Amino acid sequence: RAFSEQLIKGNISASVSRLLLLTGEQDKAATITWDAEALLGRLSPLSAYGLRTRFEKFEKETHITVPYRAITPTIRFVSGLP
């Protein structure tokens, strides 16, 4: 809530307001994916204030293997590349 309020007030630069949510398709705790998708849904309205979010679910990956697959997409995301 505090982040949302600060973003809406313009106290957080839109150029640094990015959130990349990553999960693995084979995560044993399905709530990880559900929670990430729910958070994405709650944050989507903030795109009008400059927040950029993206959600990716890596096929055939688990919670432990996602970080290895996430390196390139994360660098691309923080660099503003597609």
Side-chain angles (χ1 to χ4, degrees):
R1 291 181 189 147
F3 172 80
S4 297
E5 290 172 10
Q6 294 301 312
L7 184 67
I8 290 168
K9 289 178 182 177
N11 295 334
I12 297 174
S13 170
S15 65
V16 296
S17 300
R18 299 175 194 214
L19 179 64
L20 177 61
L21 301 166
L22 305 168
T23 66
E25 177 188 52
Q26 296 179 354
D27 278 331
K28 293 191 189 302
T31 56
I32 292 171
T33 299
W34 296 338
D35 289 347
E37 290 173 332
L39 178 59
L40 182 67
R42 288 193 309 274
L43 294 175
S44 290
L46 296 177
S47 66
Y49 300 96
L51 179 65
R52 299 296 172 246
T53 57
R54 184 168 41 187
F55 172 80
E56 289 188 44
K57 186 187 318 183
F58 293 112
E59 291 184 20
K60 301 179 182 176
E61 301 295 343
T62 66
H63 187 70
I64 299 300
T65 61
V66 165
Y68 301 103
R69 286 279 310 276
I71 294 170
T72 300
T74 301
I75 291 170
R76 294 180 68 81
F77 184 72
V78 299
S79 300
L81 300 171

